[in-house]
Amino acid sequence: MRENGTMETGDPPEVPAGEARGGPAAARAAEERFRTLVAALPDAVAITDLEGRVEFASPLAIRLLGLSGPGEAVGRSALEFIAPEDRARAQDNLRKTAAEGQVREVQYNFLKRNGAMFPGELSAVLVRDAGGQPASFIAIIRDITERLEAEDRLRRFGAQHAGILEAIPVAVGVSIEEGRNVYTNLAMQGIFGYTAAEALAVPIASHYVNPEDRIRMLADLARDGSIRDREVGLRHRDGTALTALLNVDIVEWNGAPARMASLRDVTEAKLTEGRLREQADQLRLLTDRLAAVAEAERAEFARMLHDAMGQNLTGLSFQLHALLGGPRPATDPGVRERLLECLSMVSDMADASRELGDNLRPSVLDDYGLDAAVRAWGDRFTARTGIALRHRTAEVFGLRLAREAEIALFRIVQEALANAARHAKATEIVVSMDGSPEVFRLEVADNGAGFDLAAPQAEGGRGAMGIPIMQRRAESVRGSFRIESRPGLGTSVIVEVPR
């Protein structure tokens, strides 16, 4: 940053006050993210103030404009880098961006330092500050010289090479201002079921399921000069609806301007996508049902352990005590030793029965709620693993959640703790419960090794199965689930569910 407040090309935009709350470390992290993002983009990036004065230009933007360094860009009006004949239109689009929030893929002739021009495509968005007020513009600039040269070759291709168009599998049609085709290739005729002669006589608007789609397409074509991969609903001559991806360019056909459209029928792909979504929904419902059945069976088995086995073991313990200290106690030393061993075994069996029942479904969860159950489970977890566990529960946590939500959240805590013990090498874990009267928030955060969320997880690794299971449990009670983790900085599992 210069003393006068302008930025060099290596300086990312200043972090707004709302983003800098984490202090210098958070600001440095934001700067690093910005540098990484800009370096990864294949296009030039520029940031201007609301008047259009350049505040930041990426290295690619500097090279694209033929400048020697950022000093030749920062502080100047962005309009100076646009050809004079396009500046009025650029000024209008600047106002449009301020009013509507963005402009997309607008073509201008840009000026290099040496006066040479090149065609470019610009998209821009309005950036607001933490208070919601307009602060600056971010523009993405792309050199489209090669693309326009290719399009020009296609325009000059013309009707004299229509034989080649007949041979390609892509549906191609050429239309004129009156809204009728002057040429369709075999693939285009096949999509709609018309012969070549019939295709020339049928109004193009009749192909659209919704005529408004064509009106919008023509308006966008007039504004932007082309249409790319727009999904449209069309109709076969027999009335069958189909879905296609549409591309349109303005071309020269027999010496006159025309529209060249290409279509790709994606009806079957959309149907397949829909079937896959339906099957995924059915699988989720089945998974939820199986989880509910398993949970019910766990609860029933835990109850049986407590009611039947627990009572029997208690009765057996009373009987053994009676033999040892009743009115007619056993006096033989060998018998008494055996009775004491039996008492010890009964006690161990009772402890194991209680632990097994709690593993299946802790009674404290049903009797006292999620907070008490997590604390009880945490004590056992610390005793077993040696990892310190701290609890943070907000005062707002007064009302119990729905039974299904408490079960799902408790299982998520169990899975998160197990993952941390197996993979994280953590020494401390914090379980936090807070939120609002409308939303309950659970977070399990460890100080362990962390991991790269973007990296593929090896079989048996931390995210191999545990993460999808936790996510599905959260979704089953209409909750949201996310994980925050970075190598060396620990992992947080965060779940929010409606109350």
Side-chain angles (χ1 to χ4, degrees):
M1 178 76 75
R2 292 195 183 93
E3 292 183 359
N4 64 5
T6 59
M7 286 185 288
E8 296 282 358
T9 187
D11 294 330
E14 292 185 0
V15 179
E19 295 181 24
R21 292 172 185 160
R28 285 193 296 272
E31 291 178 8
E32 183 60 31
R33 287 195 299 270
F34 181 83
R35 295 176 191 275
T36 302
L37 174 62
V38 169
L41 288 175
D43 303 316
V45 178
I47 298 177
T48 75
D49 62 17
L50 297 178
E51 300 298 322
R53 289 185 294 271
V54 177
E55 295 182 338
F56 168 81
S58 69
L60 182 56
I62 297 300
R63 292 197 300 272
L64 195 62
L65 295 172
L67 304 177
S68 60
E72 291 190 79
V74 174
R76 295 171 60 183
S77 170
L79 296 177
E80 296 180 34
F81 301 103
I82 294 177
E85 62 269 20
D86 287 341
R87 287 175 185 170
R89 186 161 55 92
Q91 186 68 57
D92 290 341
N93 282 324
L94 189 69
R95 289 190 288 267
K96 180 180 178 181
T97 307
E100 299 180 7
Q102 66 174 355
V103 294
R104 297 184 58 190
E105 298 177 352
V106 182
Q107 292 187 17
Y108 302 114
N109 284 320
F110 289 85
L111 286 175
K112 292 180 177 287
R113 180 192 184 194
N114 61 6
M117 288 194 301
F118 67 92
E121 194 171 71
L122 181 145
S123 296
V125 295
L126 175 67
V127 178
R128 297 182 181 274
D129 61 21
Q133 297 300 311
S136 60
F137 298 110
I138 295 182
I140 305 294
I141 305 162
R142 176 178 300 168
D143 186 344
I144 59 172
T145 303
E146 292 183 0
R147 193 186 85 190
L148 291 183
E149 289 175 350
E151 291 175 355
D152 184 60
R153 287 193 295 271
L154 179 61
R155 292 188 188 97
R156 288 185 278 106
F157 188 74
Q160 64 270 28
H161 295 99
I164 297 178
L165 292 177
E166 292 297 330
I168 65 175
V170 178
V172 177
V174 180
S175 63
I176 55 176
E177 291 295 331
E178 288 76 10
R180 294 183 184 273
N181 284 311
V182 294
Y183 169 79
T184 58
N185 70 350
L186 288 172
M188 181 69 82
Q189 295 157 28
I191 282 184
F192 294 104
Y194 292 108
T195 66
E198 289 172 336
L200 301 184
V202 176
I204 294 175
S206 66
H207 297 323
Y208 284 78
V209 172
N210 181 4
E212 292 294 325
D213 287 347
R214 183 169 186 268
I215 294 173
R216 284 192 292 269
M217 181 275 294
L218 292 175
D220 293 344
L221 179 63
R223 183 189 67 234
D224 301 331
S226 65
I227 300 293
R228 291 287 176 268
D229 288 336
R230 175 167 300 186
E231 186 174 301
V232 292
L234 303 174
R235 198 181 304 280
H236 191 271
R237 71 178 301 172
D238 64 6
T240 304
L242 59 96
T243 304
L245 293 181
L246 171 68
N247 290 272
V248 186
D249 288 287
I250 305 298
V251 301
E252 182 181 303
W253 189 266
N254 290 337
R259 306 184 190 99
M260 177 175 284
S262 65
L263 290 177
R264 183 159 59 92
D265 188 348
V266 294
T267 307
E268 189 59 36
K270 297 291 288 186
L271 290 174
T272 301
E273 181 182 325
R275 287 192 290 266
L276 289 174
R277 280 199 301 268
E278 182 179 346
Q279 291 172 2
D281 290 340
Q282 292 174 352
L283 181 59
R284 280 193 291 270
L285 290 174
L286 177 60
T287 302
D288 292 345
R289 177 59 183 160
L290 290 175
V293 170
E295 198 65 50
E297 290 177 345
R298 285 182 177 215
E300 178 62 17
F301 192 37
R303 185 191 64 76
M304 291 171 60
L305 282 172
H306 179 270
D307 293 347
M309 188 174 180
Q311 291 177 10
N312 289 337
L313 289 173
T314 300
L316 180 58
S317 177
F318 285 156
Q319 294 293 332
L320 291 172
H321 277 292
L323 291 173
L324 284 169
R328 300 175 62 184
T331 57
D332 183 273
V335 173
R336 291 185 63 84
E337 183 178 351
R338 290 293 181 87
L339 289 174
L340 289 171
E341 290 177 358
C342 289
L343 271 174
S344 177
M345 292 172 63
V346 168
S347 177
D348 290 344
M349 289 175 65
D351 290 341
S353 174
R354 282 192 295 271
E355 183 172 359
L356 179 58
D358 284 343
N359 284 340
L360 290 169
R361 175 73 167 272
S363 58
V364 68
L365 179 63
D366 294 321
D367 296 337
Y368 300 104
L370 180 64
D371 186 40
V374 169
R375 289 178 183 273
W377 186 264
D379 291 341
R380 294 172 57 191
F381 174 82
T382 298
R384 186 173 68 253
T385 65
I387 300 174
L389 193 67
R390 293 195 292 119
H391 300 268
R392 294 176 180 169
T393 304
E395 294 295 331
V396 73
F397 198 71
L399 298 176
R400 293 278 301 267
L401 296 171
R403 176 175 172 273
E404 293 78 8
E406 289 192 337
I407 293 172
L409 290 168
F410 180 73
R411 297 302 182 198
I412 289 172
V413 171
Q414 285 183 307
E415 184 68 34
L417 293 179
N419 280 347
R422 282 194 298 263
H423 306 292
K425 300 179 181 178
T427 59
E428 182 181 74
I429 301 174
V430 179
V431 179
S432 303
M433 300 183 193
D434 54 32
S436 69
E438 293 78 26
V439 177
F440 171 81
R441 184 177 187 274
L442 166 72
E443 180 174 357
V444 182
D446 66 59
N447 67 347
F451 64 103
D452 184 357
L453 291 170
Q457 298 299 310
E459 185 174 349
R462 181 160 190 165
M465 283 298 294
I467 292 175
I469 290 173
M470 289 188 287
Q471 181 171 0
R472 185 61 209 134
R473 288 191 184 278
E475 292 172 350
S476 71
V477 289
R478 299 182 296 116
S480 64
F481 172 90
R482 73 178 190 275
I483 286 185
E484 297 177 356
S485 184
R486 291 180 63 186
L489 298 179
T491 299
S492 293
V493 174
I494 302 166
V495 183
E496 293 182 346
V497 298
R499 285 186 179 273

